[in-house]
Amino acid sequence: LGRLVKDGKIDSLEQIFLFSIPVKEAQIIDKFLPTLQDEVMKIMPVQKQSSAGQRTRFKAFVAIGDGKGHVGLGVKCSSEVANAIRGAITIAKLNIVPVRRGYWGRISGMPHTVPCKVTGKCGSVRVRLIPAPRGTGLVASPAGKKLLSMAGVDDCYTAARGHTRTMGNFIKALFFALGNTYGYLSPELWPQNVLIPSPFQEHTDYLSKDGK
């Protein structure tokens, strides 16, 4: 995949998402989404009991997004805070997902909210995103607002239940809910699309000749 992207055979991230090709290199995301913003959501110390006492490491939660329908979340544990953040940013890039946006009521202008009610779950935390009319803003907790604005959602109601104080699980549940927006088949997606071959199939000769 890296070679196809580097040589311009794949020209958009949507082609990769269409065939659910796993992205293994963060540089691919850097090429397609140069305007990514990252935000450290939480840094927490975690301890492990060893024979010489406790060993403290730091766990970083980092969210990234371009405000145009792509969002990613990375979690990394390291003995240094800086290393944890750097690793989490890389993991977040590899975990990037497209977020589908829609309308509340009249279909005019740019999509501004989530297309339908969606739910995400992590641990005991369940987060529900509910479409909201234009001008409502983001009705969410401060962490939720950051993640939703990175995904490019302007208006949204949220409802949460469970132990939402566990910030890590709350952010993950919200991230899964945003990822589920493309999991619903609404009437505008009913028309049949022509299936095109995957990039690996299309450029198979190029990949084999340039191989080893």
Side-chain angles (χ1 to χ4, degrees):
L1 184 64
R3 279 169 33 215
L4 289 177
V5 171
K6 187 180 171 190
D7 299 323
K9 304 281 184 192
I10 294 177
D11 47 17
S12 78
L13 203 54
E14 274 49 55
Q15 276 179 286
I16 296 174
F17 288 142
L18 180 63
F19 295 101
S20 305
I21 302 169
V23 177
K24 300 280 174 68
E25 296 160 80
Q27 289 81 0
I28 295 173
I29 304 295
D30 290 336
K31 181 174 178 184
F32 289 135
L33 303 174
T35 58
L36 278 178
Q37 311 247 304
D38 53 70
E39 174 91 42
V40 178
M41 288 296 191
K42 185 176 188 185
I43 293 173
M44 59 188 254
V46 289
Q47 290 187 329
K48 175 184 175 184
Q49 189 73 36
S50 63
S51 55
Q54 287 102 352
R55 198 184 78 186
T56 305
R57 293 163 82 197
F58 296 97
K59 193 175 186 182
F61 292 88
V62 173
I64 60 169
D66 62 349
K68 297 190 191 116
H70 295 103
V71 70
L73 182 69
V75 183
K76 176 79 175 135
C77 217
S78 176
S79 51
E80 301 271 326
V81 175
N83 291 350
I85 293 173
R86 210 172 306 127
I89 290 173
T90 308
I91 292 167
K93 283 178 184 170
L94 300 182
N95 284 344
I96 221 158
V97 293
V99 177
R100 183 165 165 227
R101 291 164 298 167
Y103 299 92
W104 181 94
R106 203 172 92 206
I107 299 179
S108 65
M110 294 295 285
H112 61 99
T113 182
V114 284
C116 54
K117 293 177 185 173
V118 283
T119 312
K121 177 175 182 292
C122 181
S124 71
V125 184
R126 280 182 178 73
V127 173
R128 190 172 191 219
L129 304 180
I130 301 161
R134 226 180 259 279
T136 306
L138 297 170
V139 184
S141 66
K145 276 184 184 166
K146 281 181 192 167
L147 200 57
L148 287 166
S149 62
M150 281 181 174
V153 177
D154 300 328
D155 310 286
C156 185
Y157 294 126
T158 60
R161 59 168 301 165
H163 201 282
T164 51
R165 248 185 65 189
T166 313
M167 177 75 88
N169 284 0
F170 176 66
I171 300 168
K172 277 185 179 176
L174 189 55
F175 175 65
F176 292 145
L178 287 169
N180 285 343
T181 51
Y182 265 110
Y184 288 93
L185 188 64
S186 51
E188 63 266 29
L189 300 178
W190 283 352
Q192 276 194 331
N193 293 323
V194 181
L195 284 175
I196 52 173
S198 84
F200 292 151
Q201 212 172 337
E202 207 175 323
H203 306 292
T204 180
D205 300 336
Y206 170 77
L207 287 170
S208 58
K209 80 166 193 297
D210 203 39
K212 296 180 168 72

